[in-house]
Amino acid sequence: MLDAHFLGSVIIVLAMLVALHQLVRLTMVAMLHRTLRHALQAGVPLTVEQLDRALGRRPTVERAATDWRNGWLLIAIGLACAGCVAIQGSGDTLRMAAGAALFPLLTGVTLLALSKRASRGT
């Protein structure tokens, strides 16, 4: 089984990565806000499409292509997790890895289904 110290270290590292990701997002939003404020003060005409793009709202076709790629990537990660432990493992390890592999597998399948639905326009 996993050592308690190892598991604690993994949890701390994941928490630090989430905090770092949120800090980077906050910095990006602050820079975007400053850029838009300077553009508006300078009298630069901004269209709705430009504002949507700046705020991260992508067109449906582009979003569907990204979801398609991310879905296949998550499915590959899930299969790699399951395959790695299937090669190495015992019954307990296999059950634990199957549980860990289900999350990216199901998330990937959902992304593929949503992107296919979005590309059809329904």
Side-chain angles (χ1 to χ4, degrees):
M1 279 297 183
L2 294 176
D3 184 24
H5 295 292
F6 175 74
L7 192 57
S9 299
V10 168
I11 291 171
I12 289 172
V13 167
L14 287 175
M16 289 172 57
L17 284 174
V18 168
L20 180 65
H21 180 264
Q22 292 301 324
L23 183 64
V24 168
R25 276 187 72 223
L26 181 65
T27 304
M28 288 175 55
V29 168
M31 289 189 317
L32 175 64
H33 181 266
R34 190 174 338 149
T35 301
L36 288 175
R37 187 170 24 122
H38 287 304
L40 290 174
Q41 287 174 349
V44 175
L46 296 173
T47 65
V48 175
E49 292 83 19
Q50 289 172 329
L51 285 175
D52 280 345
R53 186 74 106 159
L55 294 173
R57 297 186 189 111
R58 295 172 294 161
T60 305
V61 175
E62 185 180 327
R63 196 172 339 122
T66 302
D67 286 348
W68 188 259
R69 184 191 66 217
N70 289 342
W72 279 113
L73 182 65
L74 285 169
I75 288 172
I77 289 170
L79 290 174
C81 289
C84 178
V85 173
I87 291 171
Q88 297 178 358
S90 63
D92 288 339
T93 312
L94 189 58
R95 273 198 312 274
M96 187 170 59
L102 273 179
F103 176 74
L105 278 172
L106 293 177
T107 306
V109 169
T110 303
L111 281 172
L112 288 177
L114 289 175
S115 69
K116 185 169 182 137
R117 182 175 167 215
S119 66
R120 282 192 316 217
T122 58

